[in-house]
Amino acid sequence: MFEEARLKLTGWYLVIIMTISLGFSAAVYMGANEELMRFDNAQRIRQLRVDSVNTFLIQQGLPVPPGNETQGLESLALARKRIVCSLAIVNLAILVVSGLGGYFLAGLTLDPISKMVKEQKEFISNASHELRTPLTSLKTEIEVALRDEKMTVKDAKILLASNLEDVNSMQKLSNYLLKLHRFESGDADIKLKKMDLASVISKVVKEKTPYAAQKNIKIITKLSKVDIKGNEEYIAELTGVLVENAIKYSGKAKKIEVTTTKEGTFIVRDFGVGIAEKDLPHIFDRFYRADTARSKSSVEGYGLGLSIAKSVADRLGVEIKVKSQPGKGSQFCVQFPVAS
Ligand code: ADP
């Protein structure tokens, strides 16, 4: 599909370049022809003068220098031929060079689009795959239950609870996808204003505390008040992802640290499973999950949290930096611009 588009684009580049080149050549030819005609007329006048001098010399019985009246016409035709030939060679060279150059440029132009389409395809395939698992489980459970004539109310309740888990899982995925779309598409209207970083983070930490408590994890906060330029909703979203991940991937560790400094630095640190060096460049990719996360069925997720966090950071104009050591823990750090 993209090869055909590339050839078509090259064709259009060629049409434009050759139209300009041929137009320019026609103008050059006409200009040169006019000059040649003027030169030829001057030659003819000079020849007429020479002829009259010759006639005079003949009449006087003096020797006549050799003259040739047709010489001017012949060189004019030759000069025209030469100009046409040169223009044809130049145009041919332009056709070949612009054909090759156009093909190369068409490739460069289409490359980002081709990458985007590839990513989109991968995204759809991954999303369908993630949806298929809970859907299949839901369908199987319902089918088995329908065939079970001896099913008691207690069994039905257990089944419904399991179904609800699958539905929750699908709802979570669709929420992630909607968020990702919202923050990636840039539709959301982002307004940056002066705000206290510590107070937003403190709110999010409070929201996540029950989840941490379920896992016996203590969230230790060291929040210095600092006014930064940001957006509350976006920073809350980013903090939510980082704090939730720190809790999720804490393993046996029983504490995480959330810090803000007076310089506008925000740090979330855990002492859990850590991230292998080979995974670090990919953790912000959509649907990417490191092996440690996949193999442990207790750590649920879709590999979308950090993609959302990155989109949010991009929109806020900040960068998320990660330091991690497998088995020792991870540190996610964001530097916000301090408001004056
Ligand atoms: P999810 O947590 O849903 O799998 P994320 O996009 O939030 O997806 O994270 C991507 C991957 O990065 C995770 O699967 C995990 O392997 C790794 N990761 C993220 N945060 C941490 C962390 N604090 N500690 C260890 N691994 C992490």
Side-chain angles (χ1 to χ4, degrees):
M1 175 183 137
F2 276 97
E3 195 49 37
E4 203 184 311
R6 190 177 184 177
L7 287 173
K8 265 190 197 161
L9 202 57
T10 310
W12 280 113
Y13 285 156
L14 274 182
V15 168
I16 294 167
I17 293 168
M18 289 321 291
T19 309
I20 296 170
S21 173
L22 289 173
F24 190 67
S25 302
V28 167
Y29 177 77
M30 282 182 334
N33 195 36
E34 220 164 273
E35 277 306 308
L36 282 175
M37 302 267 272
R38 218 174 283 151
F39 177 72
D40 190 56
N41 279 341
Q43 283 275 76
R44 277 173 198 271
I45 291 165
R46 198 177 66 86
Q47 192 66 50
L48 279 176
R49 277 198 203 124
V50 170
D51 282 352
S52 53
V53 171
N54 286 349
T55 321
F56 174 76
L57 288 174
I58 290 164
Q59 282 168 357
Q60 297 300 315
L62 292 167
V64 176
N68 191 346
E69 216 181 324
T70 56
Q71 195 188 344
L73 282 173
E74 265 178 21
S75 30
L76 181 69
L78 204 68
R80 273 193 187 128
K81 219 176 184 177
R82 270 205 210 113
I83 291 171
V84 170
C85 263
S86 305
L87 287 175
I89 290 169
V90 168
N91 275 289
L92 201 70
I94 289 175
L95 182 76
V96 173
V97 172
S98 56
L100 294 173
Y103 186 72
F104 174 71
L105 284 180
L108 282 189
T109 311
L110 290 172
D111 199 42
I113 305 170
S114 141
K115 267 192 197 139
M116 208 173 75
V117 171
K118 197 173 154 231
E119 272 177 21
Q120 207 98 39
K121 277 185 186 164
E122 266 173 28
F123 179 75
I124 292 170
S125 146
N126 282 327
S128 330
H129 180 77
E130 294 291 352
L131 270 176
R132 203 162 48 196
T133 315
L135 267 178
T136 312
S137 145
L138 203 60
K139 186 170 178 266
T140 317
E141 281 177 353
I142 294 171
E143 277 172 355
V144 171
L146 283 175
R147 265 187 255 122
D148 184 359
E149 286 167 10
K150 291 180 203 141
M151 192 182 218
T152 61
V153 174
K154 196 179 160 204
D155 292 338
K157 281 199 171 169
I158 294 171
L159 176 89
L160 284 175
S162 166
N163 287 353
L164 191 63
E165 250 177 53
D166 292 326
V167 172
N168 283 340
S169 160
M170 284 189 284
Q171 193 184 34
K172 205 166 180 185
L173 177 60
S174 76
N175 284 342
Y176 270 135
L177 293 176
L178 283 172
K179 272 187 196 170
L180 197 64
H181 170 73
R182 179 164 171 246
F183 293 119
E184 273 193 357
S185 65
D187 288 346
D189 186 21
I190 178 160
K191 285 190 185 86
L192 299 182
K193 56 174 192 185
K194 191 171 169 174
M195 51 166 283
D196 177 24
L197 179 65
S199 78
V200 182
I201 286 166
S202 160
K203 265 188 227 160
V204 179
V205 167
K206 221 178 236 172
E207 274 169 32
K208 300 290 173 192
T209 302
Y211 176 49
Q214 273 175 25
K215 300 190 149 211
N216 275 330
I217 292 170
K218 198 165 172 0
I219 307 179
I220 298 165
T221 51
K222 293 177 199 161
L223 305 177
S224 299
K225 239 176 109 59
V226 54
D227 281 335
I228 57 145
K229 248 166 117 190
N231 175 293
E232 272 195 30
E233 187 204 347
Y234 279 57
I235 291 176
E237 191 65 51
L238 182 114
T239 312
V241 171
L242 297 184
V243 172
E244 199 173 313
N245 275 356
I247 300 169
K248 268 199 316 196
Y249 299 105
S250 264
K252 288 189 182 118
K254 291 292 161 241
K255 67 163 183 181
I256 65 168
E257 287 173 4
V258 179
T259 313
T260 57
T261 68
K262 289 216 172 304
E263 291 75 38
T265 313
F266 166 52
I267 303 164
V268 178
R269 185 169 178 208
D270 68 68
F271 304 88
V273 295
I275 306 165
E277 210 169 321
K278 72 171 175 60
D279 292 316
L280 273 176
H282 306 290
I283 56 171
F284 293 99
D285 294 352
R286 294 185 285 188
F287 290 107
Y288 188 85
R289 302 201 79 205
D291 295 340
T292 39
R294 285 193 187 280
S295 58
K296 293 200 167 122
S297 51
S298 55
V299 185
E300 39 168 82
Y302 294 103
L304 289 175
L306 285 181
S307 314
I308 294 171
K310 186 177 180 304
S311 305
V312 170
D314 287 347
R315 304 234 40 222
L316 286 168
V318 293
E319 196 189 345
I320 307 175
K321 290 190 176 142
V322 196
K323 274 194 234 157
S324 188
Q325 255 188 303
K328 292 209 168 158
S330 313
Q331 178 174 302
F332 288 77
C333 176
V334 184
Q335 177 64 52
F336 288 101
V338 178
S340 43

